[in-house]
Amino acid sequence: MEQKYYKMNIAGCERALPLCPLNDKLMIGAFVIFGDPELTTACAQALLDRAPEYDYIITAEAKGIPLAHEMARLAGNQKYMLARKGPKLYMRDILDVAVHSITTAKEQHLYLDGYDAALMKGKRILVVDDVISTGESLKSLETLVEAAGGIVCGRCAILAEGDAQERPDLIYLEKLPLFDADGQPL
Protein backbone atom coordinates (compact mmCIF):
# COMPACT_ATOMS: atom_id res chain seq x y z
CA MET A 1 0.00 0.00 0.00
CA GLU A 2 1.28 3.43 -0.95
CA GLN A 3 2.18 5.70 1.98
CA LYS A 4 -0.18 8.68 2.26
CA TYR A 5 0.67 12.01 3.87
CA TYR A 6 -1.15 14.98 5.33
CA LYS A 7 0.55 18.33 4.72
CA MET A 8 0.25 21.07 7.29
CA ASN A 9 1.86 24.27 8.51
CA ILE A 10 2.81 24.12 12.18
CA ALA A 11 4.30 27.24 13.81
CA GLY A 12 5.44 28.43 10.38
CA CYS A 13 7.03 25.09 9.42
CA GLU A 14 5.66 23.05 6.51
CA ARG A 15 5.54 19.33 7.28
CA ALA A 16 4.04 16.18 5.72
CA LEU A 17 2.73 13.73 8.32
CA PRO A 18 2.58 10.07 7.31
CA LEU A 19 -0.87 8.56 7.75
CA CYS A 20 -0.95 5.41 9.88
CA PRO A 21 -3.90 3.03 10.27
CA LEU A 22 -5.37 2.57 13.75
CA ASN A 23 -7.85 0.00 12.41
CA ASP A 24 -9.68 -0.86 9.15
CA LYS A 25 -11.66 2.39 9.19
CA LEU A 26 -9.47 4.99 10.86
CA MET A 27 -6.04 6.52 10.29
CA ILE A 28 -4.06 9.13 12.19
CA GLY A 29 -1.37 11.54 11.07
CA ALA A 30 1.91 10.55 12.73
CA PHE A 31 3.50 13.63 14.26
CA VAL A 32 7.07 13.20 15.51
CA ILE A 33 9.30 16.09 16.54
CA PHE A 34 12.30 13.87 17.31
CA GLY A 35 15.22 14.96 15.15
CA ASP A 36 13.51 18.17 13.99
CA PRO A 37 15.06 21.08 15.92
CA GLU A 38 13.57 23.74 13.63
CA LEU A 39 10.03 22.53 14.30
CA THR A 40 10.69 21.90 18.00
CA THR A 41 12.00 25.42 18.60
CA ALA A 42 9.23 27.07 16.56
CA CYS A 43 6.53 25.13 18.43
CA ALA A 44 8.13 25.73 21.83
CA GLN A 45 8.20 29.49 21.27
CA ALA A 46 4.65 29.58 19.90
CA LEU A 47 3.34 27.68 22.95
CA LEU A 48 5.29 29.87 25.39
CA ASP A 49 3.69 32.91 23.76
CA ARG A 50 0.27 31.48 24.72
CA ALA A 51 1.08 29.76 28.03
CA PRO A 52 -0.02 31.07 31.42
CA GLU A 53 2.52 31.84 34.14
CA TYR A 54 3.93 28.66 35.64
CA ASP A 55 6.63 27.43 38.00
CA TYR A 56 7.51 24.12 36.31
CA ILE A 57 6.76 22.26 33.11
CA ILE A 58 5.99 18.54 33.16
CA THR A 59 5.77 16.12 30.23
CA ALA A 60 5.62 12.38 29.73
CA GLU A 61 8.37 10.25 28.25
CA ALA A 62 9.12 10.26 25.32
CA LYS A 63 7.81 12.48 22.51
CA GLY A 64 7.11 15.45 24.78
CA ILE A 65 10.72 15.60 26.00
CA PRO A 66 12.24 17.73 23.22
CA LEU A 67 9.30 20.14 23.40
CA ALA A 68 9.43 20.54 27.21
CA HIS A 69 13.22 20.87 27.09
CA GLU A 70 13.08 23.59 24.45
CA MET A 71 10.26 25.44 26.18
CA ALA A 72 12.23 25.41 29.44
CA ARG A 73 15.43 26.52 27.66
CA LEU A 74 13.72 29.39 25.83
CA ALA A 75 11.96 30.54 29.02
CA GLY A 76 15.18 30.41 31.04
CA ASN A 77 13.87 27.70 33.38
CA GLN A 78 16.47 25.79 35.36
CA LYS A 79 14.39 22.61 35.59
CA TYR A 80 11.44 20.76 34.09
CA MET A 81 9.80 17.53 35.24
CA LEU A 82 9.64 14.25 33.38
CA ALA A 83 7.16 11.45 34.02
CA ARG A 84 9.03 8.28 33.10
CA LYS A 85 7.57 5.12 31.52
CA GLY A 86 9.58 2.98 33.90
CA PRO A 87 11.09 3.55 37.34
CA LYS A 88 14.84 4.19 37.40
CA LEU A 89 17.32 3.13 40.08
CA TYR A 90 17.95 6.73 41.15
CA MET A 91 14.25 7.44 41.73
CA ARG A 92 12.97 7.47 45.32
CA ASP A 93 9.45 7.77 46.80
CA ILE A 94 8.00 7.19 43.34
CA LEU A 95 4.50 8.27 42.37
CA ASP A 96 2.85 5.89 39.84
CA VAL A 97 -0.23 6.30 37.63
CA ALA A 98 -1.73 4.15 34.83
CA VAL A 99 -2.00 5.47 31.25
CA HIS A 100 -4.23 4.36 28.37
CA SER A 101 -3.22 5.88 25.01
CA ILE A 102 -4.65 5.30 21.53
CA THR A 103 -1.12 4.98 20.11
CA THR A 104 -0.06 2.27 22.58
CA ALA A 105 -1.54 -1.22 22.54
CA LYS A 106 -1.46 -1.96 26.27
CA GLU A 107 -1.73 -0.13 29.56
CA GLN A 108 1.38 1.78 30.53
CA HIS A 109 2.41 3.57 33.70
CA LEU A 110 4.00 6.93 34.35
CA TYR A 111 6.40 7.35 37.25
CA LEU A 112 7.47 10.57 38.95
CA ASP A 113 10.52 10.84 41.17
CA GLY A 114 9.72 11.84 44.74
CA TYR A 115 12.30 14.66 44.57
CA ASP A 116 10.43 16.24 41.65
CA ALA A 117 7.10 15.64 43.39
CA ALA A 118 8.37 17.54 46.45
CA LEU A 119 9.45 20.49 44.26
CA MET A 120 5.98 20.61 42.66
CA LYS A 121 4.07 20.89 45.94
CA GLY A 122 2.04 24.10 45.92
CA LYS A 123 3.55 25.18 42.58
CA ARG A 124 1.87 26.07 39.26
CA ILE A 125 2.56 23.25 36.80
CA LEU A 126 2.23 23.54 33.02
CA VAL A 127 1.43 20.16 31.44
CA VAL A 128 3.00 19.80 27.98
CA ASP A 129 2.65 17.13 25.28
CA ASP A 130 3.18 16.88 21.54
CA VAL A 131 -0.33 15.71 20.54
CA ILE A 132 -3.48 15.42 22.62
CA SER A 133 -6.08 12.97 21.27
CA THR A 134 -8.24 11.21 23.82
CA GLY A 135 -6.71 13.15 26.71
CA GLU A 136 -5.78 9.98 28.61
CA SER A 137 -2.05 10.76 28.75
CA LEU A 138 -2.86 14.31 29.79
CA LYS A 139 -5.19 13.05 32.52
CA SER A 140 -2.43 10.77 33.83
CA LEU A 141 0.03 13.67 34.01
CA GLU A 142 -2.57 15.76 35.83
CA THR A 143 -3.09 12.92 38.31
CA LEU A 144 0.66 12.86 39.01
CA VAL A 145 0.74 16.63 39.49
CA GLU A 146 -2.21 16.52 41.89
CA ALA A 147 -0.72 13.57 43.81
CA ALA A 148 2.44 15.63 44.26
CA GLY A 149 0.42 18.58 45.56
CA GLY A 150 1.01 20.70 42.47
CA ILE A 151 -1.58 22.89 40.76
CA VAL A 152 -2.21 22.36 37.04
CA CYS A 153 -2.21 25.90 35.64
CA GLY A 154 -2.35 25.02 31.95
CA ARG A 155 -2.35 22.27 29.33
CA CYS A 156 -0.31 22.78 26.15
CA ALA A 157 0.17 20.68 23.04
CA ILE A 158 1.42 21.28 19.54
CA LEU A 159 -1.57 19.49 17.99
CA ALA A 160 -5.10 18.63 19.10
CA GLU A 161 -6.62 15.59 17.43
CA GLY A 162 -10.24 14.45 17.34
CA ASP A 163 -12.38 15.43 20.33
CA ALA A 164 -9.45 17.25 21.96
CA GLN A 165 -9.99 20.08 19.46
CA GLU A 166 -13.21 20.99 21.26
CA ARG A 167 -11.69 21.26 24.74
CA PRO A 168 -11.64 24.89 25.91
CA ASP A 169 -8.99 24.10 28.54
CA LEU A 170 -6.30 23.19 25.97
CA ILE A 171 -3.74 25.52 24.47
CA TYR A 172 -2.63 24.12 21.11
CA LEU A 173 -1.19 25.36 17.85
CA GLU A 174 -3.06 23.40 15.18
CA LYS A 175 -5.91 20.95 14.69
CA LEU A 176 -4.95 17.52 13.37
CA PRO A 177 -7.90 15.72 11.79
CA LEU A 178 -8.55 12.02 11.95
CA PHE A 179 -8.66 10.26 8.57
CA ASP A 180 -10.80 7.56 6.99
CA ALA A 181 -9.31 4.38 5.50
CA ASP A 182 -8.69 6.22 2.20
CA GLY A 183 -6.73 8.98 3.92
CA GLN A 184 -9.47 11.61 3.68
CA PRO A 185 -9.94 13.95 6.66
CA LEU A 186 -13.05 13.24 8.74
Side-chain angles (χ1 to χ4, degrees), residues 167-181:
R167 289 183 53 171
D169 63 326
L170 294 181
I171 298 165
Y172 62 90
L173 302 179
E174 298 294 336
K175 294 180 178 183
L176 177 61
L178 296 170
F179 302 86
D180 66 18

Side-chain angles (χ1 to χ4, degrees), residues 1-7 16-21 27-30 179-185:
M1 184 174 148
E2 177 187 337
Q3 178 66 59
K4 296 181 181 185
Y5 294 88
Y6 180 69
K7 293 181 182 178
L17 282 54
L19 298 184
C20 304
M27 297 171 70
I28 60 170
F179 302 86
D180 66 18
D182 295 322
Q184 297 301 310

Side-chain angles (χ1 to χ4, degrees), residues 9 30 51 58 71 79 102 116 125 158 166 170 176 183 186:
N9 184 303
I58 188 170
M71 287 177 74
K79 179 163 182 61
I102 66 167
D116 287 347
I125 309 300
I158 297 170
E166 306 307 320
L170 294 181
L176 177 61
L186 295 173

